[in-house]
Amino acid sequence: MSNRFVEAGLSAPVNVTWEVTLACNLRCRHCLSAAGPPAPRELTTQEAVGLVDELHRMGVFQVNFGGGEPFLRPDFEDILAACHRRGIVTCISTNGTLLDRARVERLARSGMVAVQVSLDGARRETCDAIRGEGTYERALEALGLLAASPIPTSINAVLTSANADEIPELHDLAGALGVALRVSRFRPSGRGAGAWDELRPDAAQLLGFGTWLAGRGDVRTGDSFFSLTPQERMGLGLNLCGAAKLTCCVGPEGDVYPCAFLQMPEFRAGSVREEPFAGIWEGSRVFRALRRLRIRSCESCHRFDRCHGGCPAVAYHLGRDLGRGDPECLERCVSAVAAGGPGRAREELEP
């Protein structure tokens, strides 16, 4: 990827993450946004459909809906329909508890939606300890309904110290259900910041996951896992941070951020209530700075052309510096494991 592209970005994001509500009926311990009650001034239906119109005019290909729990928003299916009428593909991240047969049938009619259901363990006790009592069974019920439909469906698991050893089992479970597996990265944002010390995978677990992942071309990951991605998987996806270059995040109240994990005042790029989304994408000082970001401390590393410094959001949450390099990169994991001992391994991963 050329420096010119990195600095200029695209004329529009390829996809947008849109957290349509902060409301959630669960209180998952690793939640990136500390979801619970709805945000005070969430976008109205009219404002939301207006944003859909603008994304369509810009040529945005896909909107990834999250929250909170999107289905707690009464007009969510109306917002989905507005996307589909304009040819925008959608993906919904849900905890699955509000999915029933009738809703799945409605979602399937568009032919333009995919769904990922959160499941954070292959075993009931593991998942319920993170997401709440009964969530394992309810997620399986939702996955069963979706698997029987034409909707592309995946399990979404956040890799933690609690479930790292169960990822192969979770892969087998996904196969038995007839759905895909996506593994997301745990970051110390939102409610997850309070659970970071307990749920953070150690270096051996991260390295083990990376090794296992090398032979699993059917397992999806977010682009944040490029810092752990072995050479064998490099052709399967983006190998650098796409925030402000290929994608960005819209929060429940219309604020725009580089990504879902940097929803903090210092990274607020603008608000769709105050100016057009296109103007934010093209002219935001925050976005321009990210497009010029260089992880200079990583440029001499032999893996730099594979990961380009890793995930700036993790670096920022742990060290308040976007340019320090990902503290959970593959090279640091190797060094930490060589240092020996779980405690020492965790120390080695600190920025």
Side-chain angles (χ1 to χ4, degrees):
M1 183 172 290
S2 70
N3 288 335
R4 184 169 178 267
F5 172 86
V6 170
E7 292 180 7
L10 295 175
S11 60
V14 174
N15 62 68
V16 170
T17 295
W18 186 352
E19 301 203 334
V20 288
T21 183
L22 200 60
C24 192
N25 55 339
L26 301 183
R27 299 293 184 272
C28 302
R29 298 175 61 209
H30 57 14
C31 180
L32 71 91
S33 59
R41 294 181 60 246
E42 297 188 349
L43 294 178
T44 66
T45 304
Q46 183 178 359
E47 289 173 322
V49 173
L51 178 56
V52 171
D53 285 336
E54 186 169 9
L55 297 178
H56 169 62
R57 288 194 298 271
M58 291 178 69
V60 172
F61 173 72
Q62 178 170 321
V63 175
N64 301 318
F65 286 104
E69 169 51 51
F71 288 108
L72 274 177
R73 182 168 170 139
D75 62 353
F76 178 52
E77 291 189 45
D78 297 327
I79 298 171
L80 280 177
C83 289
H84 300 156
R85 285 195 300 270
R86 291 153 181 79
I88 298 176
V89 176
T90 60
C91 179
I92 306 166
S93 295
T94 175
N95 59 38
T97 60
L98 302 179
L99 288 175
D100 56 24
R101 192 175 304 279
R103 175 164 275 162
V104 169
E105 289 175 356
R106 290 197 303 272
L107 293 174
R109 288 180 198 133
S110 74
M112 299 184 69
V113 64
V115 177
Q116 55 183 37
V117 177
S118 296
L119 188 69
D120 284 302
R123 304 164 197 167
R124 178 185 297 102
E125 57 271 23
T126 305
C127 183
D128 285 5
I130 295 173
R131 305 188 63 81
E133 189 69 28
T135 54
Y136 179 83
E137 292 296 340
R138 294 172 78 181
L140 287 184
E141 290 172 8
L143 286 163
L145 290 172
L146 289 162
S149 80
I151 298 173
T153 301
S154 59
I155 290 172
N156 184 52
V158 177
L159 182 70
T160 64
S161 60
N163 66 19
D165 295 338
E166 295 180 25
I167 297 299
E169 290 179 59
L170 206 51
H171 181 253
D172 292 342
L173 175 61
L177 291 170
V179 301
L181 173 64
R182 184 179 190 273
V183 183
S184 297
R185 190 166 173 186
F186 180 37
R187 295 174 178 85
S189 65
R191 192 176 296 117
W196 177 249
D197 289 339
E198 180 185 353
L199 292 180
R200 176 188 188 181
D202 63 28
Q205 290 172 320
L206 290 168
L207 193 59
F209 173 73
T211 301
W212 177 82
L213 192 63
R216 300 293 184 277
D218 61 332
V219 176
R220 305 168 188 169
T221 65
D223 60 11
S224 59
F225 267 123
F226 38 46
S227 58
L228 290 170
T229 300
Q231 181 65 37
E232 292 85 348
R233 283 182 59 95
M234 291 311 298
L236 296 181
L238 192 65
N239 69 342
L240 83 170
C241 175
K245 307 178 190 76
L246 301 173
T247 187
C248 65
C249 173
V250 179
E253 296 181 303
D255 295 319
V256 181
Y257 301 93
C259 79
F261 298 96
L262 289 175
Q263 294 183 75
M264 294 172 280
E266 56 267 45
F267 293 106
R268 182 181 180 272
S271 169
V272 298
R273 281 179 160 149
E274 299 168 1
E275 60 183 306
F277 178 85
I280 299 170
W281 176 257
E282 294 169 3
S284 161
R285 176 187 57 81
V286 171
F287 282 7
R288 290 200 305 268
L290 271 168
R291 289 164 189 161
R292 295 191 300 268
L293 179 67
R294 291 181 63 180
I295 315 297
R296 298 182 186 277
S297 61
C298 295
E299 288 180 352
S300 61
C301 176
H302 69 98
R303 294 191 79 250
F304 184 73
D305 63 335
R306 304 182 202 176
C307 78
H308 296 273
C311 178
V314 175
Y316 188 80
H317 281 293
L318 295 182
R320 285 300 184 264
D321 185 352
L322 291 175
R324 291 188 61 142
D326 195 325
E328 294 184 337
C329 76
L330 189 63
E331 290 303 300
R332 291 197 186 192
C333 288
V334 170
S335 298
V337 170
R344 180 64 185 277
R346 285 182 179 269
E347 291 175 9
E348 290 286 328
L349 289 182
E350 294 301 327

